[in-house]
Amino acid sequence: MESVRKTIIARAELRDVNKIRFDAIDRGDILLPWALKPCRIRILMVADGNGPGSFVNITYGRLYFSLSAVVDLLAHSPDWWVRYDVTKAHRQADPLGAADIDGFRFTNPTFDINQFDQIWFFGARQNVDDPERLNDAELAIVARWMDEKKGGVFAVGDHFDLGASLCGRIPRVSTMRKWAVAQNPPTNTGVNRHDTLRRGHDNFYTFNDESDDIPMTTRVRRYPLWSTSPFSYRWAPHPVLCGKDGVIDILPDHPHEGEVIEPTNPTATFSFGSYANKPEYPEVGGTRVMPQIIAWARVQGDHTEGRNGNSGTDRNKGPATAKEFGAIGAYDGHRGNVGRVVVDSTWHHWFDVNLIGRPRSGDQVDAVPNDDPKAFGFEYSAAGRASYARIKNYFLNVAQWLAAPAKQNCMFMRATWGIVVRYPLAEFVSPKLPIWELGGIAKDAIGRRASRCATYSWLSPHFVEWRPFLLERPEDIKTKVPELATPSWDVFETYVLGGITKRMLEVGYAEGEKSGAVDDKQVAAALAEGMAIGAKAFSSDLQTSQREARERLVAIERSAGAQFEAKQFLD
């Protein structure tokens, strides 16, 4: 019996080892000869604070105003097609010594901004005229990089003018959110505060409800899709909020947020030193794309006075006026040949205290006991962990969407090649299958790991002729005549993915028979050839379908001209 027990244990251990290895291969941490190295996206995080000993000071370690969970997520990306290299910079000094660079300035002689693909700004210091703000020389460096390198920017602060020192003058960022006192940003007290708390597991609002396992629900902007049926209205969220499991319409809650807005001056310009008179939102080909609010948060209307012995619902800040306000904004700078931008109403959507719980006893102000549920945040319950997975999907979407066009193509190539050498395609799929069937299988395979909008985001820039019919269409699309015979983007996308899959499978099988490795050039050639194959197959099949439709149109026209008499239906 002892030998049997040892055999069972040995098999279990081997199974665990094999699973770890399989997971590492699936993520791209272990590269086999037929695999491609993940695309590398280099992110510079820049944070600030009010100096040593100050409560309002951002850290990359683990305190109240801390980013350790987000940094860890980026360091362990679950997607085989991309890896993130994060450099952590602090304008003053990280209170836990967790930054890679303290006293950071863009004008440091040894710093090269072109070594980075994205910059994420987490601003805590107030006042757009703060002596330690980004100065004109730094802003010229950042602006030129955004324009010429298509560098992606994420920027966030909190209520009132928190974050104005760091973010309040950055091009585009400055007009997509309320940063300065002159813009009348929401404060942290009073009935007009932007309080998004949801009640915890009781009947009251308390400050530390922001650290429980219950998120708030948001309203997301709906972008009409070309329907596959004349009698259905289909839509999609912005790609930043398009998750692996559907729409990402939740965020961590907080009792006093800032506000995202939409710019009102499309022709505004900016100047920083010699980098002067540049358009805030460039016009290309007669089109000027502007930022949009892509998600709104809501203040609940049931906050009543519960302080000082009163029996109301809010024991934290008292009454609050119900309202809706901008929570996330996005600008597709690629349409203007510059970098993309995302802004958020509060860094509390990103901080440890709102994600993985409050500081433990003795660590910092407003700490809770080690066994308090709010010391664990979303990780406290199964429902909380499911919500947290969706919120992390938002963070990763930001990182992918902000990438410049060249990096988008890099990720697309690795994502599509990855599916043909992974389950299920590597198991049973033949390149001889019909292209539309291959495309459907590929969509399913990518959809198991990527967001539901990933293939649209990657493919649509290569087919600009479709642009007037896609997400840019007005939201009153429901008032149009039903689309009875027009082909949809979904079908076109399926064909193109089918062509890509067919060509990549052919390359994979050919190299597999030789037991050889593949390189980027082979896969890139297969991708380019496959896109053309799929598009041509779609055009051919569509023309065949339209010929059949014209034949049926004769019968339809005769039907429309038919005459009927009531006596035909009487006994």
Side-chain angles (χ1 to χ4, degrees), residues 198-218:
R198 296 301 185 267
R199 299 192 208 188
H201 297 285
D202 54 34
N203 293 320
F204 306 100
Y205 291 101
T206 59
F207 189 86
N208 63 15
D209 281 344
E210 67 173 350
S211 300
D212 62 21
D213 56 350
I214 302 172
M216 66 160 158
T217 301
T218 60

Side-chain angles (χ1 to χ4, degrees), residues 310-354:
N310 289 292
S311 59
T313 61
D314 197 310
R315 296 177 175 178
N316 176 34
K317 293 176 176 288
T321 303
K323 69 176 68 174
E324 192 176 65
F325 64 91
I328 303 173
Y331 168 61
D332 187 0
H334 295 176
R335 298 281 305 278
N337 290 329
V338 296
R340 287 172 168 171
V341 179
V342 173
V343 296
D344 200 309
S345 58
T346 176
W347 18 244
H348 276 283
H349 297 156
W350 299 72
F351 277 172
D352 293 343
V353 68
N354 302 83

Side-chain angles (χ1 to χ4, degrees), residues 78-79 81 242-246 248 393 396 447-452:
D79 303 319
W81 53 87
C242 192
K244 299 176 183 179
D245 299 314
I248 303 171
N393 200 162
L396 293 173
R448 298 183 186 203
R449 295 289 290 273
S451 80
R452 296 187 179 184

Side-chain angles (χ1 to χ4, degrees), residues 40-326:
R40 310 297 303 200
I41 293 180
R42 300 157 299 178
I43 300 174
L44 173 66
M45 287 190 177
V46 182
D48 66 4
N50 292 330
S54 170
F55 178 60
V56 184
N57 195 1
I58 296 173
T59 175
Y60 298 103
R62 177 73 172 93
L63 285 176
Y64 185 88
F65 295 107
S66 56
L67 290 161
S68 70
V70 171
V71 171
D72 183 69
L73 172 67
L74 292 171
H76 299 89
S77 168
D79 303 319
W80 69 73
W81 53 87
V82 64
R83 289 290 177 272
Y84 304 101
D85 301 318
V86 179
T87 299
K88 307 181 293 292
H90 199 287
R91 297 281 290 179
Q92 290 74 39
D94 188 299
L96 295 181
D100 299 312
I101 309 171
D102 280 329
F104 172 77
R105 297 294 184 270
F106 285 96
T107 48
N108 188 311
T110 62
F111 175 74
D112 181 6
I113 195 172
N114 295 321
Q115 296 300 310
F116 296 94
D117 303 300
Q118 301 177 22
I119 304 174
W120 292 17
F121 294 93
F122 293 88
R125 291 179 68 90
Q126 297 175 270
N127 188 2
V128 290
D129 296 318
D130 175 32
E132 297 192 40
R133 70 182 184 176
L134 287 186
N135 61 37
D136 283 9
E138 291 183 282
L139 286 165
I141 292 171
V142 172
R144 187 184 299 273
W145 169 84
M146 293 171 72
D147 289 358
E148 296 179 0
K149 300 296 183 181
K150 296 184 175 61
V153 168
F154 170 76
V156 66
D158 195 35
H159 66 271
F160 202 44
D161 66 338
L162 287 170
S165 172
L166 183 63
C167 307
R169 300 199 303 146
I170 299 172
R172 291 137 212 155
V173 168
S174 63
T175 58
M176 292 173 62
R177 191 183 181 282
K178 290 184 177 181
W179 299 99
V181 174
Q183 294 175 288
N184 192 31
T187 63
N188 62 333
T189 59
V191 297
N192 291 320
R193 70 187 185 275
H194 286 176
D195 191 327
T196 61
L197 284 182
R198 296 301 185 267
R199 299 192 208 188
H201 297 285
D202 54 34
N203 293 320
F204 306 100
Y205 291 101
T206 59
F207 189 86
N208 63 15
D209 281 344
E210 67 173 350
S211 300
D212 62 21
D213 56 350
I214 302 172
M216 66 160 158
T217 301
T218 60
R219 178 174 70 87
V220 303
R221 182 180 290 274
R222 296 186 173 198
Y223 294 89
L225 295 176
W226 203 324
S227 181
T228 55
S229 165
F231 308 110
S232 67
Y233 173 62
R234 299 172 64 244
W235 62 275
H238 188 277
V240 164
L241 297 174
C242 192
K244 299 176 183 179
D245 299 314
V247 180
I248 303 171
D249 58 357
I250 58 172
L251 286 171
D253 50 2
H254 182 62
H256 40 251
E257 300 192 12
E259 183 175 3
V260 171
I261 57 176
E262 293 181 346
T264 57
N265 183 4
T267 60
T269 60
F270 63 85
S271 297
F272 300 110
S274 61
Y275 197 69
N277 300 317
K278 302 298 179 181
E280 193 97 43
Y281 300 105
E283 181 178 339
V284 176
T287 300
R288 190 191 313 275
V289 175
M290 295 295 290
Q292 292 181 320
I293 295 173
I294 62 171
W296 292 263
R298 182 163 184 80
V299 181
Q300 299 300 302
D302 60 350
H303 292 262
T304 57
E305 185 60 74
R307 299 169 295 179
N308 303 318
N310 289 292
S311 59
T313 61
D314 197 310
R315 296 177 175 178
N316 176 34
K317 293 176 176 288
T321 303
K323 69 176 68 174
E324 192 176 65
F325 64 91

Side-chain angles (χ1 to χ4, degrees), residues 519-537:
D519 59 31
D520 286 19
K521 291 182 179 179
Q522 286 175 287
V523 178
L527 175 60
E529 293 164 5
M531 288 173 66
I533 290 170
K536 289 175 181 176

Side-chain angles (χ1 to χ4, degrees), residues 308-561:
N308 303 318
N310 289 292
S311 59
T313 61
D314 197 310
R315 296 177 175 178
N316 176 34
K317 293 176 176 288
T321 303
K323 69 176 68 174
E324 192 176 65
F325 64 91
I328 303 173
Y331 168 61
D332 187 0
H334 295 176
R335 298 281 305 278
N337 290 329
V338 296
R340 287 172 168 171
V341 179
V342 173
V343 296
D344 200 309
S345 58
T346 176
W347 18 244
H348 276 283
H349 297 156
W350 299 72
F351 277 172
D352 293 343
V353 68
N354 302 83
L355 300 173
I356 55 177
R358 302 190 89 65
R360 310 297 171 89
S361 298
D363 284 346
Q364 203 189 17
V365 176
D366 205 26
V368 297
N370 291 337
D371 59 350
D372 190 304
K374 292 174 184 177
F376 301 92
F378 287 111
E379 294 180 337
Y380 180 71
S381 67
R385 289 189 291 274
S387 295
Y388 189 24
R390 296 174 64 197
I391 292 166
K392 287 190 286 188
N393 200 162
Y394 161 51
F395 301 157
L396 293 173
N397 281 352
V398 169
Q400 293 195 25
W401 190 75
L402 286 178
K407 293 291 184 179
Q408 297 291 340
N409 292 337
C410 174
M411 289 187 287
F412 180 42
M413 185 175 79
R414 281 153 176 78
T416 49
W417 175 252
I419 63 171
V420 305
V421 295
R422 283 172 170 80
Y423 178 83
L425 270 69
E427 293 268 330
F428 62 84
V429 177
S430 166
K432 296 181 180 179
L433 288 172
I435 281 181
W436 58 266
E437 186 172 351
L438 285 171
I441 296 170
K443 261 192 173 182
D444 175 70
I446 291 178
R448 298 183 186 203
R449 295 289 290 273
S451 80
R452 296 187 179 184
C453 302
T455 50
Y456 167 80
S457 296
W458 287 328
L459 269 179
S460 57
H462 297 284
F463 296 97
V464 295
E465 57 276 3
W466 279 81
R467 185 165 285 159
F469 312 113
L470 297 174
L471 297 186
E472 292 79 10
R473 296 189 300 167
E475 293 198 30
D476 62 354
I477 192 69
K478 288 183 288 186
T479 64
K480 287 184 61 179
V481 174
E483 295 165 340
L484 300 174
T486 48
S488 73
W489 167 266
D490 285 351
V491 179
F492 177 73
E493 181 180 280
T494 299
Y495 268 81
V496 174
L497 283 175
I500 293 168
T501 303
K502 173 183 174 63
R503 192 68 194 95
M504 286 187 170
L505 282 171
E506 291 170 347
V507 170
Y509 283 132
E511 293 303 319
E513 291 176 0
K514 295 188 295 186
S515 299
V518 296
D519 59 31
D520 286 19
K521 291 182 179 179
Q522 286 175 287
V523 178
L527 175 60
E529 293 164 5
M531 288 173 66
I533 290 170
K536 289 175 181 176
F538 175 79
S539 176
S540 176
D541 286 359
L542 178 61
Q543 290 178 41
T544 300
S545 175
Q546 288 178 335
R547 283 195 296 271
E548 294 177 356
R550 284 193 291 271
E551 293 174 1
R552 296 183 189 182
L553 183 59
V554 174
I556 292 170
E557 290 174 344
R558 289 174 179 169
S559 299

